[in-house]
Amino acid sequence: MASEQSASSAMALRFDLKSIGLGVLSFVVGISLWWLASASNATPLPGPIEVLERFGRSIGTGQLWIDIRASIGRVLAGFLLGSIIAVPVGFLMGWYRVARGLIDPWIQFFRVIPPLAIIPLAIVTMGIDETPKIFVIFLAAFLSAVVATYQGVVSVDKTFINAARVLGAKDWVIFTKVVVPASTPFILVGFRIGLGSAWATVVAAELIAAQSGLGFRMQQGQLYYDLPVIFVSLITIGVLGLIMDRLVVLAEQRLTIWQERV
Amino acid sequence: MTMTGTPNTKIAFKNVRRVFGDGPSAFVALDHLNLDIFDGEFVTVVGPSGCGKSTALNIVAGLLGVSAGECRVDGDIVTGPGPDRGVIFQQYALFPWLTVRENVEFGLKLQGKEKSERRKIADHYIALVGLTDFANALPKMLSGGMKQRCAIARAYAVNPKVLLMDEPFGALDALTRVRMQDQLLETWSKERRTVMFITHDVDEAVYLANRVIVMAARPGRLQEIIDVNLPYPRNDELRLSPQFAEIRNKVWHAVYTRSGQQQPALEE
Ligand SMILES: Nc1ncnc2c1ncn2[C@@H]1O[C@H](COP(=O)(O)OP(=O)(O)O)[C@@H](O)[C@H]1O
Ligand SMILES: [Mg+2]
């Protein structure tokens, strides 16, 4: 048993090293190509060195931190609010047919509207401060998480519920001790998708209507033809998005360690 | 034979009928089922696929209702599931997010038992099925046979009067199956319960049982009851004995010939 485990973890490690090596190689090649393209003046793009310098300057003046804080703050506010409300609503929909019938049409309707399309309405009705931005992010995160939670609840294996019932469990115990843990993997997938769409939404929202944030900075770059600052913002958006996604995946793996993975 | 309601009848089916669906698509899964299972008895149920074995078991478990007639356990009409009737499912149905011990303690917690007492009872049954070294393991670490042993411990832990097992070894390979049969009989001889055990394996049915209930399909009904007058404890020697072969043939004949099927029923 123990040897089996260490053998498989050694293999996983080797596999990991290999994929990390390939990742680094791919990264180096990509940067080199970028450098070549900009050095040969084939494109009007700024080169890696120029962008790096601009990174230094943005960090030095504190501008980058202010932008990051503004964007992350909006995402977290909208995402947390959306997720916290989505989970009970999703459970309600999965557990009670009546709730499903009442809520589902609305969710289906709002799901097909891109969150950004709500912005004009949100600005008109909520003003131009943080509220409309956080609201659309909330909507994006909420819709992902609510659908995932509801899917999780309805797909709980009936045998688990029967197993709990024959051991003497009543509805509340079945719900808290069986339905909730059994649907956790689904909910976490919903969180992951929700965070992704929240991040996409915040940047787009800032492009349209904001006085701060990474999206706003890019919009300014466009206005003043400042390509390096657009690059700095783009790279930051990508890196932060990746980090957030990894964090959710890590939490997911921790919380669903009991799952049989094939 | 003992009448329904006399003290040593544990499970009584009286004219039980179960229909699924209604209108022209209604399907009679079980009809006129009359059967008494006695206290401490080990009864196995065999029959072709779809003859209502699981339906009958789920009615005793309280997971399904009857369309007509009644099912009593200890003289009381079954109205729903409860910890007095333990169920062991073919798909194990262990909670994958709980360890072996937590799974076994699940029902004990519901009974409001103290932590130390829970632990004591759980460890007793975990030892009884030989899983002590895996008490803290998650189900995903266990083989199929070990999972089913854990499920047996979980069912035993709440101290049910009746154990209902629906093809519990159906997903296991032939060798593991034989070992599980021996282990189940050992557990049962140490802690005797009334057992209703469904299988589609004639050998298994004879090896385990005091009585083999043979059912027939369309509609699901009782075909024949065959007594197994072989002493416990049972072992490999008995498995290969002529007396065993004789009963086995009788059951086989009842299942495959008299129920109107010339070919062995195809089981999934
Ligand atoms: N929930 C259900 N709805 C409709 N038909 C069912 C349902 N459960 C079982 N049946 C039908 O009842 C018959 C008996 O099923 P079951 O008791 O599972 O048979 P067995 O366990 O002997 O294979 C089968 O034909 C099956 O298709
Ligand atoms: Mg069945």
Side-chain angles (χ1 to χ4, degrees), chain B residues 48-55 58 90 166-167 198 200 267-268:
Chain B
S49 212
C51 68
K53 303 183 293 289
S54 297
T55 303
N58 285 326
Q90 178 173 352
D166 193 350
E167 304 197 23
I198 293 175
H200 59 258
E267 287 282 354
E268 54 289 334

Side-chain angles (χ1 to χ4, degrees), chain A residues 5 160 162 166 181 257-258 260, chain B residues 82 94 96-97 140-141 147:
Chain A
Q5 243 176 11
F160 288 148
N162 281 341
V166 297
I257 200 150
W258 47 267
E260 304 217 24
Chain B
L94 294 178
W97 51 89
K140 71 169 181 177
M141 307 291 291
K147 281 184 182 146

Side-chain angles (χ1 to χ4, degrees), chain A residues 1 5 156-170 173-174 176-183 185 255-261, chain B residues 61-63 80-87 89 91-98 103 106-107 109-111 134 138-141 147 154-155 158:
Chain A
M1 189 96 209
Q5 243 176 11
V156 173
D157 192 340
K158 199 87 174 54
T159 344
F160 288 148
I161 293 176
N162 281 341
R165 287 177 71 200
V166 297
L167 287 166
K170 298 282 176 276
V173 174
I174 291 172
T176 54
K177 297 289 192 261
V178 179
V179 174
V180 171
S183 47
L255 287 168
T256 61
I257 200 150
W258 47 267
Q259 271 193 308
E260 304 217 24
R261 288 173 220 274
Chain B
L63 294 171
D84 58 323
R85 284 148 290 145
V87 182
F89 303 88
Q91 316 88 315
Y92 320 126
L94 294 178
F95 303 122
W97 51 89
L98 300 180
N103 263 287
F106 190 92
K109 239 182 200 167
L110 296 176
Q111 295 181 343
F134 293 88
L138 286 168
K140 71 169 181 177
M141 307 291 291
K147 281 184 182 146
R154 180 174 70 179
V158 294

Side-chain angles (χ1 to χ4, degrees), chain A residues 3-223:
Chain A
S3 66
E4 225 173 81
Q5 243 176 11
S6 63
S8 75
S9 72
M11 213 159 81
L13 197 65
R14 210 173 325 136
F15 181 74
D16 263 10
L17 282 178
K18 198 172 162 187
S19 60
I20 287 171
L22 284 173
V24 169
L25 180 72
S26 157
F27 183 71
V28 169
V29 170
I31 299 282
S32 311
L33 285 177
W34 176 19
W35 180 77
L36 272 176
S38 62
S40 65
N41 282 324
T43 65
L45 298 181
I49 311 285
E50 205 180 331
V51 170
L52 202 65
E53 276 169 8
R54 189 53 199 258
F55 250 111
R57 212 148 23 100
S58 289
I59 293 170
T61 60
Q63 187 69 70
L64 190 60
W65 298 132
I66 293 171
D67 290 340
I68 289 177
R69 261 221 306 273
S71 296
I72 295 255
R74 288 174 190 136
V75 161
L76 287 187
F79 171 73
L80 290 179
L81 212 63
S83 304
I84 287 169
I85 298 178
V87 170
V89 173
F91 276 134
L92 218 62
M93 287 172 67
W95 199 243
Y96 296 106
R97 208 169 275 277
V98 176
R100 188 181 319 166
L102 289 175
I103 304 170
D104 200 41
W106 293 100
I107 296 209
Q108 295 307 329
F109 179 69
F110 277 101
R111 232 151 66 99
V112 296
I113 302 177
L116 280 183
I118 307 288
I119 283 215
L121 176 66
I123 289 178
V124 169
T125 52
M126 299 176 184
I128 51 162
D129 62 351
E130 290 300 292
T131 323
K133 275 151 270 173
I134 292 177
F135 177 75
V136 291
I137 296 160
F138 156 82
L139 212 57
F142 172 80
L143 290 171
S144 306
V146 83
V147 173
T149 307
Y150 153 66
Q151 288 294 344
V153 175
V154 295
S155 59
V156 173
D157 192 340
K158 199 87 174 54
T159 344
F160 288 148
I161 293 176
N162 281 341
R165 287 177 71 200
V166 297
L167 287 166
K170 298 282 176 276
D171 274 5
W172 179 246
V173 174
I174 291 172
F175 181 71
T176 54
K177 297 289 192 261
V178 179
V179 174
V180 171
S183 47
T184 305
F186 286 85
I187 295 171
L188 291 172
V189 168
F191 283 177
R192 188 176 173 195
I193 298 168
L195 192 57
S197 64
W199 191 231
T201 305
V202 76
V203 172
E206 287 169 351
L207 282 173
I208 300 172
Q211 309 310 317
S212 60
L214 293 162
F216 166 73
R217 195 61 51 205
M218 276 202 292
Q219 212 267 329
Q220 295 288 298
Q222 181 202 336
L223 212 58

Side-chain angles (χ1 to χ4, degrees), chain B residues 100-101 104 119 122-137 142 146 149-150 153 183:
Chain B
V100 165
R101 182 182 285 116
V104 177
R119 175 90 185 221
D123 284 352
H124 167 73
Y125 286 105
I126 290 169
L128 196 66
V129 298
L131 283 180
T132 302
D133 290 344
F134 293 88
N136 294 313
L142 308 181
M146 288 157 84
R149 271 144 63 192
C150 178
Q183 213 185 8

Side-chain angles (χ1 to χ4, degrees), chain B residues 13-16 31-36 222 225:
Chain B
F13 291 92
K14 205 164 171 217
N15 265 319
V16 168
D31 204 16
H32 286 108
L33 180 63
N34 284 293
L35 173 67
D36 283 354
L222 188 71
I225 298 177

